[in-house]
Amino acid sequence: MSDTYTPPKVWSHDSENGGRFANINRPTAGAREDKALPRGNHPFQLYSLATPNGVKASIMLEELLEAGHSGAEYDAYTINIGEGEQFGSDFVDINPNSKIPALLDLSGDEPVRVFESGAILLHLAQKFGAFLPTGPARAETYSWLFWQIGSAPFIGGGFGHFYAYAPEKFEYPINRYAMETKRLFDVADQRLANSEYLGGADYNIADIAAFPWMAPFVEGKIYEDARTFLSIHEYTNVERWAKRIAQRPGVKRGRIVAKTWGDEDAQLRERHSAADFDGKRL
């Protein structure tokens, strides 16, 4: 470990602070350039990237279409966050927080912007009356939905950053966030020991929110060898749940929307119709 860091009396931004996203990180909000977003002809316009947060929205839209809600047709466009495209003026107009995913709902008389992945899931579930139970189960679903929203920064910005993206590896932050990530997996594992899904007896938006974060650990596809490092195989109920959800057709399609890495036949940089998935490896 390097010499102990003593914080200055007043913090200032160091543009050379290192890390995977150091070239775009700034302590300020707002647009950095005038940039128009493309727009298709469908009721929903999705601007995203196939990160764990990003695919929540595309999975939800594909699940709605799979369930027969034809009004959920959408166009999807890739936002390259590594290149700072989330700071373009049109994108900031939809999401002033400059994070993906961002959704423009054109199905009514006036355009409606929706940002934050949990808000998008709730907006679509309420609009279509789908993947959101009624009665006491609705409160249970809300609880698990916001559990996931609150836990994602510990897994991504915490564990993921210090274990895989930071310019140097330090024991304390890795241990701190590894412990929290394992605790969160244990919370889910204990819940799933007594419930088919996080939200209850039926698959719903709580599962759609949590799956994109937890499944890659189960599959060994996130943060280098995090599956081994965190002994993810211990969470057998989470593994059962994740593998079952991964087989859903809407999930398979949603996971490759706005994907720009890996095998070419498993990428879909733009999505405009179901035909765009033809020939793709799901």
Side-chain angles (χ1 to χ4, degrees), residues 39-109:
R39 186 178 295 189
N41 298 318
H42 290 309
F44 296 96
Q45 302 296 299
L46 177 64
Y47 304 96
S48 192
L49 187 68
T51 66
N53 278 333
V55 298
K56 293 177 190 176
S58 51
I59 287 174
M60 180 65 174
L61 287 162
E62 291 295 334
E63 288 280 30
L64 287 167
L65 292 169
E66 184 72 17
H69 297 282
S70 59
E73 271 294 353
Y74 71 105
D75 299 283
Y77 300 94
T78 295
I79 299 296
N80 188 334
I81 61 174
E83 297 298 320
E85 292 181 357
Q86 67 274 36
F87 300 108
S89 55
D90 273 14
F91 188 88
V92 173
D93 283 345
I94 301 174
N95 186 353
N97 195 38
S98 293
K99 303 288 184 182
I100 55 92
L103 182 72
L104 194 60
D105 180 351
L106 303 175
S107 63
D109 294 334

Side-chain angles (χ1 to χ4, degrees), residues 3 18 20 89 93 102 115 122 127 132 134 136 144 157 161 191 203 227 241 245 251-252 282:
D3 293 341
R20 181 168 174 177
S89 55
D93 283 345
F115 61 93
L122 274 175
K127 190 176 190 74
L132 184 61
T134 58
W144 286 104
H161 176 78
R191 164 64 172 170
Y203 172 78
R227 173 180 167 84
W241 166 87
I245 292 174
V251 171
K252 289 182 178 182
L282 301 177

Side-chain angles (χ1 to χ4, degrees), residues 3-256:
D3 293 341
T4 300
Y5 169 67
T6 301
K9 186 174 181 179
V10 178
W11 183 87
S12 63
H13 175 235
D14 177 5
S15 61
E16 302 300 322
N17 59 0
R20 181 168 174 177
F21 297 102
N23 64 315
I24 59 170
N25 286 340
R26 298 179 192 174
T28 55
R32 299 179 187 174
E33 62 175 332
D34 289 329
K35 187 170 184 179
L37 287 174
R39 186 178 295 189
N41 298 318
H42 290 309
F44 296 96
Q45 302 296 299
L46 177 64
Y47 304 96
S48 192
L49 187 68
T51 66
N53 278 333
V55 298
K56 293 177 190 176
S58 51
I59 287 174
M60 180 65 174
L61 287 162
E62 291 295 334
E63 288 280 30
L64 287 167
L65 292 169
E66 184 72 17
H69 297 282
S70 59
E73 271 294 353
Y74 71 105
D75 299 283
Y77 300 94
T78 295
I79 299 296
N80 188 334
I81 61 174
E83 297 298 320
E85 292 181 357
Q86 67 274 36
F87 300 108
S89 55
D90 273 14
F91 188 88
V92 173
D93 283 345
I94 301 174
N95 186 353
N97 195 38
S98 293
K99 303 288 184 182
I100 55 92
L103 182 72
L104 194 60
D105 180 351
L106 303 175
S107 63
D109 294 334
E110 297 289 337
V112 175
R113 73 177 188 182
V114 193
F115 61 93
E116 293 297 321
S117 59
I120 291 172
L121 294 180
L122 274 175
H123 177 76
L124 293 172
Q126 291 171 342
K127 190 176 190 74
F128 290 97
F131 303 110
L132 184 61
T134 58
R138 176 163 292 192
E140 187 75 12
T141 293
Y142 285 165
S143 293
W144 286 104
L145 173 64
F146 286 98
W147 168 81
Q148 191 286 317
I149 300 300
S151 69
F154 291 96
I155 297 176
F159 174 75
H161 176 78
F162 287 107
Y163 184 72
Y165 298 151
E168 299 178 69
K169 286 181 166 51
F170 293 104
E171 183 178 5
Y172 174 78
I174 291 175
N175 284 347
R176 168 69 180 88
Y177 289 109
M179 182 182 300
E180 183 63 10
T181 300
K182 285 182 67 66
R183 188 191 69 80
L184 291 164
F185 266 80
D186 197 40
V187 170
D189 201 64
Q190 291 188 39
R191 164 64 172 170
L192 292 167
N194 300 301
S195 178
E196 193 69 21
Y197 295 102
L198 284 175
D202 298 313
Y203 172 78
N204 61 43
I205 57 173
D207 303 287
I208 294 173
F211 171 83
W213 276 103
M214 306 192 92
F217 284 88
V218 169
E219 299 161 344
K221 296 179 179 178
I222 196 170
Y223 304 141
E224 300 172 356
D225 196 20
R227 173 180 167 84
T228 300
F229 181 71
L230 297 175
S231 300
I232 297 298
H233 68 277
E234 297 175 346
Y235 307 105
T236 55
N237 298 306
V238 173
E239 289 208 333
R240 180 264 307 163
W241 166 87
K243 289 176 180 178
R244 182 174 185 180
I245 292 174
Q247 295 307 307
R248 296 178 65 90
V251 171
K252 289 182 178 182
R253 294 194 300 270
R255 292 183 86 179
I256 73 166

